Amino acid sequence: MKEPLTCDVVVVGAGMVGAACALYAAREGLDVTVVDRGHVAGGTTGAGEGNLLVSDKEPGPELELALHSARLWTALASELGREVEYEAKGGVVVAATPEALAGLEAFAAGQRAAGVEARAVPAERLHDLEPRLAPGLAGAVHYPQDAQVMPALAAAHLLQTSGARLHTGRTVTGVLRGPGGAVRGVRTDRGDLHAPAVVNAAGPWGGEVAALAGVRLPVLPRRGHVLVTEPLPPRIRHKVYAADYVADVASDSAALQTSPVVEGTAAGPVLIGASRERVGFDRSLSLPALRALADGATRLFPFLARVRAVRAYTGFRPYLPDHLPAVGPDPRVPGLYHACGHEGAGIGLSTGTGHLIAALLSGGRPALDPVPFRPDRFAEEVR
């Protein structure tokens, strides 16, 4: 005898991506339950900066997803903008040398052809955008479509808006399967949740959730650090980062990489990133990484050398080998969907991901081609 269904879909993960999946699935009329072993935004989301970026993505499927997500974020901002600290601040990517500027402008030209607003800024106009930038920079590109939210607030408000049932402090220990292998829900340490669809939105732990269903998804964590300053009056107008950040995002290196990324927040503190390294789930702070972040930030904004850093935190970005997230149904396990592997772009890409998942769950027409994000595109190791 079949167990009665708890809901139409169980979303595993109460971070930003899981919240967006819940919101858009509920708007398609589906009954949604969200389960997380921790609390809302307790993983990668709570350790993020809240970036909604198109500026760091080359033309291709991820940029298409980013542009779609940006449109959805703009729509959500009219509903929730103040509650989630949405800021349509734009981004400024700066180059220190003429050679770096030439590469940045060539990159921006390709993005413009794909629908991105990217405006060249000569050196003599940089201080019109950011008066406190260091002198001597070669130039920049201004990206008006870049924005920011406070990620923990955003996840909480999207979950609340969705009306989904929320179970926190509840660990998923198995994926339930029917006689034909199709999903029948999840087993947790506090009882089973029965549903014909399960969405794996577990971020860096997405590979572990996939393994519970007997499939391989090669998600690895990349540790990142963020420095947080004391609260300041508004002094940095945009998200500002160095041109080499784009290369670091695309890198496959496991070693420590840092490139300066600096932005203010609505609450006053300045956030300073970004670092990347593959060290497993080691959450310890790296002094070399923090020093490199501080050095990079003060090279961009010399006034920060006189500002106190009051704390630092670490998080894990869910990395997949081809730098594209896994989004969509897993043909190896009917009823299993994946929405993970966004690396450092999960906050920005969450809305497009959730919208795509909701269309696939409900049998609607996806706004984007889901094929490039197929979860089974990696070599299979079925258990």
Side-chain angles (χ1 to χ4, degrees):
M1 184 178 74
K2 290 183 178 179
E3 296 288 341
L5 295 179
T6 306
C7 57
D8 296 321
V9 55
V10 173
V11 176
V12 181
M16 191 66 245
V17 173
C21 290
L23 176 69
Y24 290 107
R27 290 185 172 182
E28 288 293 329
L30 299 175
D31 186 10
V32 183
T33 295
V34 178
V35 60
D36 196 295
R37 66 185 177 189
H39 53 81
V40 173
T44 295
T45 294
E49 296 176 72
N51 296 322
L52 316 179
L53 304 184
V54 298
S55 56
D56 61 342
K57 296 168 182 66
E58 66 181 0
E62 188 182 27
L63 179 56
E64 292 175 13
L65 181 59
L67 288 167
H68 180 50
S69 297
R71 291 188 288 269
L72 292 167
W73 272 116
T74 299
L76 284 175
S78 64
E79 299 177 49
L80 304 171
R82 181 170 297 179
E83 286 85 352
V84 303
E85 296 183 8
Y86 177 88
E87 293 183 88
K89 60 172 59 176
V92 176
V93 186
V94 299
T97 66
E99 294 77 17
L101 182 60
L104 176 60
E105 290 179 341
F107 183 75
Q111 291 175 308
R112 277 192 289 270
V116 174
E117 293 180 54
R119 303 169 184 170
V121 184
E124 63 271 17
R125 300 303 302 273
L126 271 176
H127 289 87
D128 295 343
L129 289 174
E130 288 291 343
R132 292 176 174 83
L133 267 175
L137 295 167
V141 174
H142 177 213
Y143 290 90
Q145 291 159 296
D146 283 355
Q148 184 180 14
V149 293
M150 198 292 188
L153 284 176
H157 279 287
L158 262 64
L159 282 169
Q160 183 180 49
T161 302
S162 75
R165 300 181 191 87
L166 177 62
H167 299 284
T168 54
R170 189 166 178 172
T171 301
V172 173
T173 59
V175 174
L176 304 174
R177 309 277 292 275
V183 160
R184 292 294 298 166
V186 297
R187 175 149 290 152
T188 81
D189 58 352
R190 290 163 55 192
D192 295 347
L193 299 170
H194 296 277
V198 169
V199 177
N200 171 16
W205 298 272
E208 297 177 16
V209 173
L212 294 176
V215 295
R216 175 178 178 265
L217 191 65
V219 181
L220 295 172
R222 283 180 104 179
R223 185 175 69 185
H225 292 75
V226 177
L227 274 174
V228 185
T229 76
E230 61 187 314
L232 301 172
R235 293 182 181 175
I236 299 172
R237 300 174 179 177
H238 305 80
K239 176 188 176 67
V240 182
Y241 64 89
D244 55 356
Y245 172 80
V246 175
D248 284 355
V249 170
S251 171
D252 294 317
S253 174
L256 173 65
Q257 297 173 300
T258 63
S259 49
V261 180
V262 185
E263 61 194 316
T265 64
V270 172
L271 304 181
I272 299 169
S275 70
R276 282 173 166 75
E277 55 187 328
R278 292 215 308 269
V279 292
F281 285 102
D282 178 359
R283 195 178 284 276
S284 58
L285 288 173
S286 164
L287 286 179
L290 296 178
R291 289 192 186 102
L293 294 181
D295 288 345
T298 55
R299 285 196 304 272
L300 281 181
F301 290 99
F303 82 90
L304 288 172
R306 302 183 299 276
V307 172
R308 289 181 302 167
V310 296
R311 67 185 181 97
Y313 56 88
T314 62
F316 301 110
R317 301 179 180 95
Y319 163 87
L320 280 166
D322 62 359
H323 300 281
L324 286 179
V327 182
D330 193 321
R332 300 166 292 186
V333 181
L336 176 65
Y337 294 74
H338 298 286
C340 57
H342 298 78
E343 203 167 332
I347 308 300
L349 299 180
S350 61
T351 49
T353 295
H355 195 261
L356 183 57
I357 287 288
L360 295 167
L361 283 167
S362 64
R365 183 175 179 178
L368 299 174
D369 180 6
V371 170
F373 309 108
R374 282 177 60 107
D376 63 332
R377 65 187 187 269
F378 306 100
E380 282 193 43
E381 291 179 10
V382 182
R383 296 185 179 182

